[in-house]
């Protein structure tokens, strides 16, 4: 189609400018987790406003979310604003909301960066751009703006109404965003037909992916308490029921070394694997070696890539994280801890009912503890949960994105899920009652949250082209 | 006997002076664990030298033990000296070594002390003396010197040759003392017939005790390692073998909630209970309420006092202390720890062989781990051990002390053991090849190592009388 030739040609033509704008953006150290850098996060919001104005976005609003809740040093610390804006408001067009975040993880040269983390380093040889935020998420966020610029300069009409929702608190728990989405669902976000989030990564380094699912997580704490204070094992060992010994019995009953969850009723809640779903796992660009490389070990529970991916994405898992209240230092301390909290979590998947899971877990722990006949007290509680997310990978939005990917990369994308949760995905889907797609720009080895974070120039350029084509295919869909 | 009338009368007469001398001693904050207070520890050694000179002790030596090994702030920090001295060297008399320590635990008024910890507060109403070191161990140490003073002023000949061995590092691991004992075994300590240590406490608050046994301890670390670095449970949960899950299986196999050690072969090493030994447990001043009060709970594994005491003193116990390397903070962290160390220890008793125990423990852990079929690596090692100690409670030293106790208190003492270890006891017994007796002065509620440490005036006074009578009865024994 000639419009794509024009658009893609313009993207190529503007390459230098697009790299420059990323360079300007990453120079602002917008670390949301560092209170002292909060003014820089706000500065980056204003930088985005300037760009939106330059590109003709309208109805630009900085949504203030109020004071950051404790723990904070400064009790009056303001949350960074959410940047809302529109491009077009044609009632005959579909409306797409694009989400991105302009805050970044902390970074220091001394952490092991090859170049200054807050200065874009363009490695001409490796054809990549290195900086904190390059791939998470400043690069993908700017890619959306660049797509609009390419349309303007190529004089191709934007086929959808675009709404931006850019937050500055993603790396610190997206505080306040869910409330804003709820608040604006019938207002600013009233006409949204679909949401597109570019804030995850390809599974590997070679093949583009579209992501249609995320696991949720239910995090539990099992507390065993007995003596009023820690005791000396010389004096009391052998005469009192030790809370940590009881806790070990409870924790060791949850899961076996093969990863099998031993809590009755959990496996039964998992959605059965359909043939159609299983097909999505064929030919995914992933091997056992990829897992071993990522863990730096040969500790995989499965040998076949399909089994590994299914257990990462579509089956629940139970991890034990640690014990609070026991001796955790180096050396030899002869303490009998008086009160210990075992921490474990279950990654949840369709069709697990979170509340029902809580009951199964708590009942299981109670039952195991009761069998011990211990005079101590044991309680188990949920301390945090986040819902899983699943989308239909065959809906119009995914179909458009798959077509765009094929057009740009010449291959069908892998349809992936992720093992971790991105809570805001569920919020958008539920609160706006709309479909969400995760359309990643960067690769699996980009090192988001790590030292030497990078974005390959080809991913930046092809990412914009894919986004552009996606807008058109999605606009054309039924 | 008229000599006891004279001696006890003199002790009573000197009461005010004995309280004053304790007051002077505790004013020196000889905290061995606080490097900045090391000069005070040394000052207290010199204070003791003055007292020994005043009382006519001879051959007074300050034994320097060299530089304190790391970790220390000051790499040239000198260990406090051991104070050796003699009173008498009549070859026709028996020679008794008395051990005490002049260093103390840290203490600050702000910790919750009712009065300044380094100022002796005499509570006339409760008839007790409160200060850091009152009962541990400055009071009992000075009691020995007071006994000599009473003999001198009552003009009763000391019936034994006395050797003092006063260290200033007991609260910080008795660094250097074992080497000194070995070094002096054939020199300063050549003629020692028995050792008497007054550095523990009555079991309760009413009945005097003599202590004839201590448990030892073998401290183990089980390490499970797999991935090269900590992993995120969202991404890797369900696909890798988690070291902490394996460790829970190993740790939970060691002991049950009833305190039963589940390692094959351990129970078989324990010396059988003889009728004679069992009789020692009759009528001991101890109740289930005492244990419950001490633990601030009702978490006892046994209801009968005899069972409680036997499991504290003469049976081994296994305590799990904690996990190093896992998440141990508050809140919810979704980490899969890459390498975890489980810490546990076994309190040892006659006739357990320490080396054989190590093998049983390590073999057990290896066997349990192997059954898991995990790709992780698991190793178990001993990281610290201390031998148990047992004496014959019917030997001449104990018989003399029991007679002395009966004379002073009017009751037969309870024969007790302790669940914890006092390593120096074993060192004296083994290196000097002699019998050791633990003859406590203070009560079980004295609060050694705690706030408001105290010594009842009656314990101080009766303690001296018991020590004095002990010297005479021991001198007369065969
Ligand atoms: Zn991100
Ligand atoms: Zn991130
Ligand atoms: Zn002591
Ligand atoms: Zn002490």
């Amino acid at each position: 189609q000639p419009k794509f030739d024009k658009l893609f040609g313009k993207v190529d033509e503007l390459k230098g400018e697009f790299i420059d704008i990323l360079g300007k953006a990453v120079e602002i150290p917008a670390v949301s987790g560092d209170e002292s850098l909060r003014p820089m996060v706000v500065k980056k919001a204003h930088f985005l406003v300037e760009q939106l104005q330059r590109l003709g976005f309208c109805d630009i609003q900085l949504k203030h979310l109020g004071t950051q809740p404790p723990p904070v040093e400064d009790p009056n610390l303001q949350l960074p604003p959410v940047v809302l804006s529109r491009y077009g408001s044609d009632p005959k067009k579909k409306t797409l909301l694009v989400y991105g975040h302009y805050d970044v993880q902390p970074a220091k040269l001394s952490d092991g960066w090859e170049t200054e983390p807050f200065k874009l380093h363009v490695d001409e040889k490796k054809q990549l751009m290195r900086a904190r935020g390059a791939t998470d998420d400043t690069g993908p966020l700017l890619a959306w703006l660049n797509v609009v610029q390419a349309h303007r300069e190529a004089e191709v009409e934007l086929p959808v109404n675009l709404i931006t929702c850019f937050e500055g608190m993603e790396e610190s728990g997206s505080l306040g965003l869910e409330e804003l989405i709820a608040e604006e669902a019938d207002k600013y976000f009233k006409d949204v037909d679909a949401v597109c989030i570019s804030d995850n990564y390809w599974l590997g380094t070679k093949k583009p992916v579209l992501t249609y699912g995320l696991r949720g997580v239910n995090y539990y704490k099992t507390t065993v308490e007995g003596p009023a204070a820690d005791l000396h094992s010389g004096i009391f060992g052998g005469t009192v029921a030790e809370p940590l010994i009881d806790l070990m019995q409870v924790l060791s009953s949850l899961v076996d070394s093969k990863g099998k969850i031993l809590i009755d009723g959990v496996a039964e809640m998992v959605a059965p694997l359909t043939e159609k779903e299983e097909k999505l796992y064929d030919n995914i660009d992933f091997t056992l070696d990829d897992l071993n490389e990522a863990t730096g070990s040969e500790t995989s529970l499965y040998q076949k890539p399909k089994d590994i991916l299914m257990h990462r994405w579509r089956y629940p898992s139970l991890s034990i994280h640690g014990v609070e209240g026991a001796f955790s230092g180096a050396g030899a301390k002869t303490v009998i801890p008086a009160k210990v909290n075992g921490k474990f979590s279950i990654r949840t998947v369709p069709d697990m009912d979170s509340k029902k899971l809580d009951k199964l877990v708590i009942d299981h722990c109670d039952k195991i503890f009761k069998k011990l006949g211990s005079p101590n007290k044991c309680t188990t509680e949920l301390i945090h949960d986040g819902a899983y997310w699943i989308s239909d990978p065959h809906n119009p939005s995914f179909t458009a994105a798959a077509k765009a990917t094929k057009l740009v990369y010449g291959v069908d994308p892998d349809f992936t899920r992720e093992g971790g949760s991105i809570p805001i995905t569920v919020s958008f889907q539920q609160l706006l009652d709309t479909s969400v797609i995760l359309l990643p720009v960067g690769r699996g080895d980009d090192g988001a949250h790590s030292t030497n974070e990078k974005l390959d120039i080809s991913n930046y350029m092809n990412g914009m082209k894919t986004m552009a084509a996606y807008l058109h295919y999605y606009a054309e869909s039924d």
Side-chain angles (χ1 to χ4, degrees), chain A:
Chain A
Q1 295 183 33
K3 68 182 169 197
F4 289 136
D5 291 342
K6 276 164 79 179
L7 278 169
F8 294 179
K10 186 56 76 178
V11 168
D12 288 333
E13 192 187 316
L14 291 170
K15 177 175 167 182
E17 200 171 311
F18 290 159
I19 292 174
D20 285 350
I21 194 76
L22 180 58
K24 276 184 190 133
V26 299
E27 273 181 26
I28 307 168
V31 181
S32 57
D34 182 340
E35 277 189 45
S36 70
L37 289 174
R38 186 58 52 89
M40 290 298 114
V41 185
V42 175
K43 185 179 171 183
K44 198 159 170 191
H46 289 282
F47 170 85
L48 291 178
V49 169
E50 276 169 42
Q51 303 312 313
L52 293 166
Q53 285 169 334
R54 173 175 66 86
L55 295 169
F57 281 77
C58 58
D59 196 6
I60 301 170
Q61 297 192 18
L62 287 185
K63 286 290 184 186
H64 290 280
L65 306 175
T67 310
Q68 183 165 334
V72 282
E73 299 252 313
D74 171 5
N76 291 315
L77 187 71
Q78 295 300 301
L79 289 166
V82 171
V83 183
L84 301 182
S85 71
R86 299 178 187 283
Y87 196 94
S89 53
D90 184 340
K92 292 193 293 295
K93 289 179 183 170
K94 293 195 180 103
T95 298
L96 181 76
L97 183 150
V98 296
Y99 163 91
H101 65 89
Y102 58 88
D103 64 319
V104 296
Q105 284 281 322
K108 289 200 310 273
L109 185 61
S110 60
D111 291 341
W113 284 72
E114 287 174 44
T115 52
E116 279 293 344
F118 294 106
K119 175 119 188 61
L120 194 76
H121 174 83
V122 180
D123 187 326
E124 291 291 349
K125 211 170 137 195
K126 293 185 185 158
Q127 282 291 296
L128 59 80
M129 303 174 293
R130 181 165 56 236
R132 176 55 86 222
T135 194
D136 181 21
D137 184 42
T138 310
L141 184 157
L142 288 176
W144 285 114
L145 303 197
N146 297 341
V147 166
V148 172
Q149 183 172 353
H151 276 82
R152 287 166 68 94
E153 299 198 16
E155 294 179 340
V156 175
E157 191 189 337
L158 208 66
V160 297
N161 303 316
L162 211 60
I163 291 180
T164 72
C165 177
F166 298 150
E167 71 158 323
M169 204 61 190
E170 197 276 342
E171 301 293 4
S172 301
S174 291
L175 299 177
L177 183 60
E178 182 165 5
E179 291 78 358
L180 180 88
I181 298 171
E183 173 73 22
E184 298 296 336
D186 291 333
K187 299 175 192 163
Y188 208 103
F189 300 155
K190 185 161 59 83
D191 296 318
V192 170
D193 294 296
V195 174
C196 183
I197 299 178
S198 295
D199 189 26
N200 68 319
Y201 313 94
W202 295 356
L203 185 57
T205 58
K206 293 179 202 76
K207 209 166 160 201
V209 314
L210 300 174
T211 304
Y212 68 99
L214 301 165
R215 291 196 294 187
V217 62
N218 282 25
Y219 200 108
Y220 299 97
K221 177 169 86 168
T222 294
T223 303
V224 183
E225 54 191 316
D230 286 358
L231 301 174
H232 188 280
S233 68
I235 302 175
F236 295 98
T239 67
V240 300
E242 303 188 13
L244 188 53
I245 287 175
D246 294 343
L247 181 65
M248 291 293 166
Q249 297 298 334
V250 175
L251 293 179
S252 66
S253 77
L254 298 170
V255 60
D256 72 16
S257 286
K258 304 291 187 193
K260 188 182 168 196
I261 297 174
L262 305 175
I263 301 165
D264 286 343
V266 171
E268 288 77 359
M269 287 196 289
V270 177
L273 182 70
T274 63
E275 235 174 277
K276 195 172 175 192
E277 185 195 339
E278 193 172 359
K279 265 182 87 89
L280 294 171
Y281 286 84
D282 291 337
N283 304 318
I284 288 187
D285 176 27
F286 184 80
T287 66
L288 173 61
D289 284 346
D290 291 337
L291 176 62
N292 286 340
E293 201 181 314
T295 69
S297 66
E298 296 190 356
T299 56
S300 180
L301 292 171
Y302 304 94
Q303 305 305 308
K304 290 193 212 145
K306 198 187 242 188
D307 288 333
I308 296 170
L309 292 176
M310 284 192 182
H311 283 274
R312 176 185 292 190
W313 294 344
R314 64 109 48 229
Y315 288 113
S317 62
L318 191 153
S319 293
I320 302 176
H321 308 295
V323 178
E324 179 187 359
F327 173 50
S328 61
K333 192 175 168 189
T334 53
V335 67
I336 297 175
K339 180 178 176 178
V340 285
N341 298 315
K343 308 284 181 73
F344 63 97
S345 67
I346 297 178
R347 296 283 160 179
T348 56
V349 298
D351 298 318
M352 292 169 75
D353 180 289
S354 177
K355 290 276 162 288
K356 190 176 163 197
L357 178 64
D358 295 347
K359 189 170 159 29
L360 292 174
V361 169
I362 292 166
D363 285 352
H364 172 91
C365 294
D366 288 351
K367 187 185 80 186
I368 296 291
F369 180 76
K370 206 173 166 196
K371 268 197 210 157
L372 302 178
S374 168
N376 291 318
K377 254 181 34 191
C378 178
T379 51
T380 300
E381 58 183 318
L382 177 83
I383 56 173
H384 163 80
D385 66 349
Y388 60 78
W389 168 72
I390 186 85
S391 180
D392 170 11
H394 306 288
N395 73 18
S397 180
F398 274 92
T399 303
K403 218 167 146 187
T405 304
K406 177 83 189 227
L407 176 71
V408 174
Y409 286 96
V411 293
D412 290 319
D414 282 339
F415 284 87
T416 66
R417 292 160 73 160
E418 297 217 349
S421 55
I422 308 178
I424 216 61
T425 311
V426 185
S427 304
F428 276 119
Q429 179 164 307
Q430 292 180 345
L431 294 168
L432 304 190
D433 192 20
T434 184
S435 77
V436 180
I437 182 173
L438 303 190
L439 172 62
V441 170
R443 302 183 186 180
D445 68 347
D446 279 356
H449 295 211
S450 181
T451 53
N452 297 309
E453 177 180 345
K454 58 89 179 168
L455 178 63
D456 295 84
I457 293 172
S458 66
N459 279 57
Y460 192 42
M461 300 298 287
N462 287 329
M464 290 180 239
K465 292 175 186 172
T466 305
M467 286 166 164
Y470 164 67
L471 296 183
H472 288 269
Y473 289 135
Y474 178 61
E476 292 160 12
S477 69
D478 302 323

